[in-house]
Amino acid sequence: MTGINYKFREDELIDEFSAYIDKTYGGHYGQGGLQSSEVIIDRGHGIGFFLGNVDKYNGRYGKKGVPEDHRKDLMKIIHYGFLALYEHDRLNDNIDNFLIEE
């Protein structure tokens, strides 16, 4: 236990997001040992692709399907945001710099 009184269920949502990510590795995104994102990064298009998908799902939010579909769009926004953060760090040689100074 962290002792933090989360006001917005961040701890629960982080756990849910972690489970969501784990599922993507068991789904079609992880089949064959190579994800399409790896190919896109290798071709030098990673940051643009990831940020473009953040824009895509942000623009689609609330316009397609039912509220559960809208929630899935939010999860995809977060996922692509994480991938963009990874790619930013990779491009800027900050992979091992996980501490944020306040």
Side-chain angles (χ1 to χ4, degrees), residues 57-102:
Y57 290 108
N58 180 53
R60 187 170 90 172
Y61 174 80
K63 296 178 181 157
K64 181 179 175 185
V66 297
E68 184 55 33
D69 295 318
H70 308 160
R71 194 170 195 282
K72 288 177 187 175
D73 288 339
L74 291 171
M75 292 295 270
K76 290 177 183 180
I77 291 167
I78 296 166
H79 190 186
Y80 281 111
F82 263 69
L83 294 173
L85 183 59
Y86 165 83
E87 183 63 354
H88 167 85
D89 288 348
R90 189 185 73 81
L91 292 171
N92 293 285
D93 296 322
N94 290 329
I95 286 293
D96 295 323
N97 187 12
F98 293 112
L99 296 178
I100 298 174
E101 294 182 27
E102 294 185 33

Side-chain angles (χ1 to χ4, degrees), residues 6-49:
Y6 292 102
K7 302 287 184 183
F8 303 101
R9 296 182 39 241
E10 294 97 334
D11 54 338
E12 295 171 33
L13 294 170
I14 288 169
D15 289 343
E16 180 185 353
F17 181 69
S18 181
Y20 168 85
I21 295 296
D22 291 350
K23 279 183 168 180
T24 69
Y25 279 85
H28 67 278
Y29 298 112
Q31 299 275 327
L34 189 65
Q35 293 192 15
S36 59
S37 296
E38 292 175 275
V39 175
I40 292 165
I41 288 170
D42 190 52
R43 292 180 179 167
H45 304 294
I47 197 73
F49 177 76

